[in-house]
Amino acid sequence: MVPSPPINKPHVCLSTTLIMSSMVLMDAYLVEQNQGSRKLGICIMVSVGDICFLVVLRYVAVWVGAEVRTAKRGYAMILWFLYVFVLEIKVYFIYQNYKADRKSLDLMARKALTLLLSICIPALYVLLVATEHMEYVRTFKKKEDLRNRLFWVIVDMLDVLDIQANLWEPQKKGLPIWAEGLMFFYCYILLLVLPCVSLCEISMQGIGIVPHRMMLYPMLSMLTINITTIFIRGSNMVFFRDIRVSGIFMGKNVLAIVLKVCMFVQYRKHLHHAPAGSGAAEPQHTTTSQPQPVIQLLKPQNQTPCPEGLDQENT
């Protein structure tokens, strides 16, 4: 049997601390939004939920810590899906409480919620990818190329969270109920699925990872984030007169579309030219380089002694 890889205990502790601290802070928001006897009931409910979640996390985090030095990220995808699924349910109830109590304009608390999500969610993704533990990626250029790809994933997460945060941050005129629900759950699905796609690409590449071949996430994110969020922000600005639309992220998405299209075109050109150049040259190199040591070893054995040497031996 193949021995199981050792568990990276610091990674397990760090990921567990990050996950549980963000969950506890979400619980604090839920408890503070309720008053009287209802506050006690919410406190008991979220405490029981956190205990059950911690029991499941105890096993999944250990499995993630065992695979962090390998090329697999299967358990990392499970942990990500579990974390975002539970966290966004709590965020939904916090958002509904803020929506029901529009008179409460606690701007700092709402901004703090946005800041908390924009730190915890990308930070967990960076921990799950764990590029610093990829010892099989030996070249510095390849590791930096991989980090650049992951940076785009983080920026896309912040883009999605910016759209979602517009739902609970103070606004003069609210969006229609159907538009708010559609925006929230669309962002919910993106946060669940797209980082898992990125982790799946890393896992499928394996030990011989080649970052420039990871084209599934860039194409999906271009369609579901870069193009779609431009239409979402543009619709909110034109039809609903939403002044909180981020022009910076709209510009970022336009640049991202241009860069990803250029990246895809270069990748297609590389596919057309790579088989003709590399496939024919490498076999010749291997066939000509291997027999040389054998010939050098056999040469002294096949040489016949010269006549001068024979005369010296006879004398």
Side-chain angles (χ1 to χ4, degrees), residues 293-305:
V294 180
I295 295 173
Q296 291 177 0
L297 290 174
L298 293 177
K299 272 185 179 180
Q301 297 177 1
N302 295 332
Q303 288 179 352
T304 58

Side-chain angles (χ1 to χ4, degrees), residues 84-288:
V84 175
F85 181 79
V86 177
L87 184 73
E88 285 290 312
I89 289 176
K90 295 185 178 184
V91 172
Y92 178 76
F93 285 108
I94 294 172
Y95 147 65
Q96 288 295 329
N97 289 335
Y98 275 133
K99 182 180 175 183
D101 189 12
R102 291 190 180 274
K103 296 180 180 179
S104 176
L105 297 178
D106 193 355
L107 181 60
M108 292 302 296
R110 300 186 186 209
K111 289 289 185 181
L113 176 62
T114 305
L115 179 62
L116 175 65
L117 294 174
S118 62
I119 292 175
C120 293
I121 293 179
L124 180 64
Y125 174 78
V126 173
L127 277 176
L128 295 180
V129 175
T131 53
E132 67 278 1
H133 294 297
M134 292 181 177
E135 297 177 354
Y136 52 89
V137 182
R138 301 188 182 277
T139 60
F140 177 78
K141 183 179 179 181
K142 186 180 289 188
K143 187 169 286 190
E144 285 300 309
D145 192 6
L146 181 60
R147 288 196 180 103
N148 292 335
R149 295 297 180 107
L150 302 180
F151 179 75
W152 277 107
V153 182
I154 295 172
V155 173
D156 287 338
M157 286 185 201
L158 296 177
D159 194 351
V160 174
L161 288 171
D162 178 74
I163 291 180
Q164 203 174 51
N166 288 337
L167 299 175
W168 59 74
E169 290 186 358
Q171 49 188 330
K172 292 181 179 179
K173 182 180 179 182
L175 299 175
I177 297 176
W178 64 268
E180 290 186 352
L182 189 62
M183 283 176 56
F184 183 88
F185 286 104
Y186 182 72
C187 296
Y188 189 3
I189 293 171
L190 290 181
L191 290 173
L192 272 177
V193 176
L194 285 184
C196 288
V197 172
S198 176
L199 292 170
C200 181
E201 273 193 309
I202 295 172
S203 184
M204 289 175 65
Q205 289 275 322
I207 296 177
I209 186 170
V210 183
H212 69 265
R213 292 182 182 176
M214 298 166 58
M215 295 300 298
L216 179 59
Y217 176 84
M219 293 300 104
L220 281 178
S221 64
M222 185 180 69
L223 296 174
T224 58
I225 295 179
N226 303 131
I227 295 176
T228 307
T229 55
I230 288 177
F231 284 107
I232 291 175
R233 289 189 172 98
S235 300
N236 291 344
M237 187 168 52
V238 173
F239 297 109
F240 305 113
R241 305 296 180 183
D242 191 355
I243 62 174
R244 296 165 300 117
V245 171
S246 176
I248 294 176
F249 275 109
M250 291 183 72
K252 164 255 172 186
N253 287 322
V254 173
L255 293 176
I257 292 170
V258 175
L259 291 174
K260 289 177 181 179
V261 169
C262 294
M263 183 196 311
F264 182 72
V265 171
Q266 290 179 355
Y267 177 70
R268 296 291 297 177
K269 288 182 179 179
H270 177 76
L271 285 182
H272 288 300
H273 294 292
S278 61
E282 289 179 2
Q284 295 178 0
H285 177 74
T286 55
T287 54
T288 56

Side-chain angles (χ1 to χ4, degrees), residues 302-310 313:
N302 295 332
Q303 288 179 352
T304 58
C306 61
E308 296 177 358
L310 291 175
E313 288 181 359

